[in-house]
Structure formats: C-alpha cells, structure tokens
Amino acid sequence: GAWADGSLFEGVIVKKDAVELLGSTTKQLGKTLGVMNFGGNCAEGRWKMLETTHPFATMITASDLPVGGWNRTHHQIWKDNKTHSQHVTKEKARLSSLNILKEGAEAGKGLGVVLDEVLEGRRAYWKLMRKEIKRTKIMQSLSLYRSSEFMALRNNTRATVANLTDDQKTAAKNATEAHRCDVQHFLAAMPTTANASLVGKFQQLRSKYVSTKEFTDWKVDTNGLGFNFVGWNEPPCELSESVGLSFRSKKDKKKELDDMFDPMDSNGDGYLDKEELKNAGEEDPDKAIEDADSDGDGKISKREFGKAYGWR
C-alpha cells in the first residue's frame, strides 16, 4: 500500500514493479490470486489501486478510510472496565481477518463465504466497540471488490463522462470532492439517464461493504471506494486519468465551435437557416431551429448553436 495506486508493502514495491511481480506470479500459478487483502492498510480503497491490481486477483478487500485511530488506549479501557477489556482483547483476536481466513481455509470453505465472514467479523468487532465508536465518532469501513466488474464500471463511466457538458462535469466534480473523492457520489451526480445504471455497476463491483455508519454519525459520507487525491490525503480528486473528466479551455471550445459551425454557414453571415441545415444533412431543419432558436428569429446563431450542442 501507501499510495493507493497498486504499490505494495507500504510503497517498498512501487506500482511498476508490483505489476511485474504480480504478473509473473500469476503466470507461474496459471491463474489469478484468490484475494488480495489491503484491509489492514489506511485508505487503499482507491480507483487506481483497483485499476492496477484487478487483473491479478479474483477479489480484493480494502478500506477507503484510515484504519485504526482509536483515541483511547486499551489501558484506558482496561481501567474503565477490566472484564470488558479482557473480552475485547479475546474477541479482537478471534475476529481478525487473518484468523478468519485461516479458519475458513482449514474448514474448506469457499472463498466468497470466507471473505463474507471477514467483513462480518469486522462489523462484529465494531459492534463490540460501539460505545467507543460513538464517543469518538470514528469513521471506518471495509469493502469487498469483485475484480471482474471493474472494467465494466470504468468503461461505462468514461463513456458517460465523454458526453457531459462542462456544467454537468462541474456538478459531478463538486459532488465527489465534497465527499473525499467518493466514487458513488460522483456516479450519482451523473445525468438521470445514466446514474442509476452506473451506481448499479458500482454496487456489483463493491459487492459487500461494512462501516461504522450504523454506530455513529459521519461528518462526511463515503461509500467504500474513492478516486485518488491529486495531492496528499484531501481533494482535489484525480479524475482526468481515472474517468476522462477534464475541462476544455475557452480557446479550445471556441475552435471546436468554429470548426463545426463555419463549414455549415455557407453564406458566412453567422447564422444557420433552414436551407443551410438541410444541406449539412439535418433531417428535420424545422425541429432543429425550434430547439435551438432562443430569440425566435427563425435562424440559429453561432451562440445559440454552441449552447444547444454543448460548446459553452
């Protein structure tokens, strides 16, 4: 972990070398790994981590939030209630991910069943610590990702983003940055024709999720997978490489508008009339004018054309 980009062992093995190592290992095995567990690392549940590692493991576990962070030591809990502290210590060991994975393997349980138990074990531990969680308002989570679903979400998200107006891009960017670069909030901010489908694909990818939301109110809502931060541990979010979200400069938008509009404007008067639209291949010029002609002069100006077709 460390950079949430596919690096391993707290960044000792950087992304490039991690890809080579995982590729070589899975090639020798003749199959992908059953699971890669990042659950003990802070905030590894990020887009680039999945983008890098999903080809090498059937399932991946990680948290999109810091791990640990209890404000009171076990010594303080011991002083408050010795019997409870002894019980917590015993249950923490029993419910640890490694113990559940070990016992599940020894019992011959299927991978999906064991990983479900890992997440339920984390929830059971939080329930045991619910008073402390409520007192400290600690935010913690653990997600299980189904690797085979990542590319479907990635490709569909990129296709949707490619058709957004700048206003829609801004709305999606603001939504995710208000929630620590949360992916689900980004997808929910897509146009209504796409958001339900994208959120559904997200939930297929993040097939199971547990968090401390059921024990305390969170200041910022997140949902188990985030985009990477551009800087360190806070927005802005890296959206350009991840999902292709970027903003054209005014100069670029003007050039795109001119390149589209000017060849259609055969007489060069700065307007498109019915005949020019028909010559440009518009099947229903009257409807096109009706939709774009905001001032009612029966023609489409370059400004109206730009507004109607996304060059704003």
Side-chain angles (χ1 to χ4, degrees):
W3 299 107
D5 65 352
S7 301
L8 301 175
F9 304 111
E10 297 185 357
V12 173
I13 300 178
V14 298
K15 174 183 173 180
K16 176 178 177 296
D17 294 335
V19 169
E20 185 176 342
L21 172 63
L22 291 169
S24 173
T25 300
T26 52
K27 184 177 181 180
Q28 290 181 25
L29 289 172
K31 59 181 180 180
T32 60
L33 303 174
V35 60
M36 291 184 68
N37 178 23
F38 290 90
N41 294 8
C42 290
E44 280 289 327
R46 298 285 159 184
W47 189 270
K48 286 187 176 181
M49 182 277 287
L50 282 184
E51 191 168 48
T52 299
T53 59
H54 81 273
F56 307 113
T58 302
M59 308 293 284
I60 297 170
T61 62
S63 172
D64 62 329
L65 298 168
V67 175
W70 303 100
N71 289 341
R72 295 205 296 177
T73 65
H74 279 286
H75 175 67
Q76 289 171 306
I77 298 174
W78 179 282
K79 288 173 63 177
D80 289 349
N81 188 327
K82 183 177 179 180
T83 302
H84 177 64
S85 180
Q86 290 173 328
H87 179 59
V88 166
T89 301
K90 182 179 179 180
E91 285 298 281
K92 183 179 181 182
R94 185 181 71 83
L95 296 170
S96 71
S97 298
L98 288 177
N99 186 61
I100 293 173
L101 287 168
K102 174 179 175 293
E103 290 186 348
E106 291 173 346
K109 296 179 180 179
L111 178 62
V113 173
V114 175
L115 293 176
D116 186 78
E117 290 178 353
V118 166
L119 269 72
E120 288 302 323
R122 188 68 60 90
R123 173 184 277 146
Y125 177 67
W126 289 331
K127 185 175 181 180
L128 191 66
M129 298 293 292
R130 59 189 179 277
K131 290 183 179 179
E132 188 70 7
I133 289 171
K134 186 174 182 179
R135 190 190 71 82
T136 58
K137 298 185 182 300
I138 195 166
M139 296 169 55
Q140 295 205 330
S141 71
L142 185 61
S143 294
L144 178 63
Y145 312 109
R146 192 176 300 277
S147 297
S148 60
E149 302 294 336
F150 177 76
M151 290 304 296
L153 175 62
R154 175 188 180 275
N155 293 341
N156 279 271
T157 301
R158 292 182 73 91
T160 300
V161 166
N163 292 306
L164 297 181
T165 66
D166 279 357
D167 286 346
Q168 290 170 328
K169 289 179 182 178
T170 298
K173 176 177 178 290
N174 290 344
T176 189
E177 291 191 344
H179 295 88
R180 293 188 57 79
C181 301
D182 184 68
V183 170
Q184 183 168 310
H185 280 282
F186 178 83
L187 301 176
M190 295 289 104
T192 53
T193 53
N195 61 19
S197 173
L198 290 174
V199 170
K201 291 184 184 301
F202 168 77
Q203 291 171 346
Q204 288 178 313
L205 167 66
R206 190 215 61 188
S207 59
K208 188 173 180 65
Y209 171 69
V210 293
S211 77
T212 59
K213 290 180 187 179
E214 61 185 290
F215 306 115
T216 189
D217 294 330
W218 285 14
K219 291 182 179 179
V220 179
D221 183 58
T222 66
N223 296 282
L225 178 64
F227 293 110
N228 294 70
F229 300 125
V230 173
W232 177 251
N233 201 34
E234 63 181 12
C237 316
E238 198 301 294
L239 298 172
S240 179
E241 290 182 12
S242 298
V243 292
L245 190 148
S246 59
F247 294 87
R248 296 165 293 172
S249 67
K250 289 183 178 180
K251 182 178 179 180
D252 289 339
K253 287 192 283 187
K254 183 179 184 306
K255 184 178 185 305
E256 290 176 7
L257 175 57
D258 290 345
D259 289 347
M260 178 65 74
F261 184 91
D262 292 349
M264 299 169 66
D265 182 19
S266 57
N267 62 12
D269 66 352
Y271 294 89
L272 300 179
D273 58 28
K274 188 186 301 186
E275 193 63 27
E276 287 171 324
L277 288 168
K278 186 176 181 181
N279 291 339
E282 176 60 55
E283 295 182 358
D284 192 345
D286 291 323
K287 182 67 165 58
I289 291 173
E290 178 184 342
D291 290 342
D293 179 23
S294 59
D295 62 10
D297 64 358
K299 300 178 290 185
I300 301 176
S301 68
K302 184 178 286 191
R303 181 188 64 80
E304 291 169 334
F305 183 87
K307 185 175 181 181
Y309 293 96
W311 283 274
R312 303 183 180 185

